[in-house]
Amino acid sequence: MTAAGLAKVIDRARVILLDFDGPVCSIFAQHSASTVAHALRRLLVDQAVTLPPEILAERDPLAVLRFTATLGRPTVVRLVDEAMTREEVTAARTAEPTPYGREVIVAAQQTGRRVAVVSNNSANSVHAYLSARRLTSYVHPVIGRPEAAPERMKPDPFPVLAAVRELGAEPAECVLVGDSVSDIEAAHAAGVAAIGYANKPGKRERFAAADVVIDSMAELVTAFAVDEL
């Protein structure tokens, strides 16, 4: 997709929805995701849950949390979700800002757009990061994963629709920026345009369904500036 294609998407977007872990920061940059996944597995074993091989090898704590939705044990789901939130809030203290992530948030607001975060991470961890980086006033609302309902995380459109509804916006005037296929799927299921942020090798090829793909958040800053001319 050319710069003109990105400009076209940005031109009609009055609302910028940002995934958190990726476009805004790397939440587990210092507090290892694999260590968190291990802690969640230990919690499940303590609750007499038998873990399948794929979960025993899983390094993504959100995937471990998502697995709990298959157990039919709401108390265990809540227990793991609450543990995950505590780990995320801790991780947010040492999260690594994404290059140009802050600039995107500020530039979007300065061009009259509203900015929201729509994340599979907990809202508490997002708020903790935004507060530490003095970005709270730039971002509203923050839609984290549905509490104790991991089955409603993206790619389910529920969080995206919740953000659109809270903003009183129309899906057609929104665009979601995300770094995973689940972001693209959730956005399109909600009727929202999707920008794939290919922040790692191989991701660009996986974002064939995105409306546009970028390799750097700086491309969005430039697109906002051009849109103002």
Side-chain angles (χ1 to χ4, degrees):
M1 183 71 73
T2 64
L6 175 60
K8 184 177 180 180
V9 171
I10 291 301
D11 180 61
R12 64 176 180 260
R14 308 317 306 164
V15 173
I16 309 299
L17 307 175
L18 297 173
D19 180 36
F20 178 59
D21 187 17
V24 177
C25 71
S26 176
I27 186 172
F28 294 115
Q30 301 297 324
H31 190 65
S32 168
S34 61
T35 300
V36 175
H38 179 68
L40 298 185
R41 279 194 296 270
R42 291 187 62 180
L43 182 57
L44 285 168
V45 170
D46 288 345
Q47 297 300 311
V49 174
T50 301
L51 303 178
E54 63 272 19
I55 296 300
L56 286 170
E58 183 57 65
R59 298 174 62 85
D60 179 0
L62 285 174
V64 178
L65 176 59
R66 196 185 299 276
F67 162 73
T68 67
T70 69
L71 300 175
R73 296 175 62 182
T75 301
V76 172
V77 174
R78 183 169 294 278
L79 191 68
V80 175
D81 186 56
E82 290 174 350
M84 178 69 178
T85 296
R86 290 192 295 272
E87 295 283 1
E88 288 169 325
V89 170
T90 297
R93 300 188 188 118
T94 55
E96 182 177 305
T98 297
Y100 296 97
R102 181 187 185 90
E103 288 83 352
V104 165
I105 292 171
V106 173
Q109 190 187 72
Q110 288 178 340
T111 56
R113 294 172 171 88
R114 290 173 291 174
V115 182
V117 164
V118 181
S119 178
N120 281 348
N121 297 114
S122 65
N124 285 352
S125 64
V126 179
H127 283 301
Y129 177 86
L130 295 176
S131 177
R133 298 289 171 173
R134 298 181 181 179
L135 286 168
T136 299
S137 63
Y138 292 90
V139 180
H140 179 80
V142 169
I143 304 296
R145 67 172 172 272
E147 186 176 331
E151 71 280 2
R152 303 192 86 173
M153 295 191 298
K154 295 174 290 181
D156 191 290
F158 176 83
V160 181
L161 290 170
V164 172
R165 184 167 52 250
E166 186 161 341
L167 287 161
E170 294 295 328
E173 62 183 352
C174 303
V175 62
L176 183 138
V177 183
D179 71 329
S180 71
V181 173
S182 64
D183 292 315
I184 310 303
E185 293 175 347
H188 286 167
V192 169
I195 296 175
Y197 172 39
N199 55 345
K200 293 179 182 178
K203 279 194 173 183
R204 176 171 281 273
E205 291 74 18
R206 297 202 296 270
F207 290 155
D211 295 270
V212 63
V213 180
I214 59 174
D215 298 304
S216 168
M217 295 295 282
E219 295 175 57
L220 287 177
V221 178
T222 299
F224 290 138
V226 170
D227 191 54
E228 282 297 282
L229 296 178

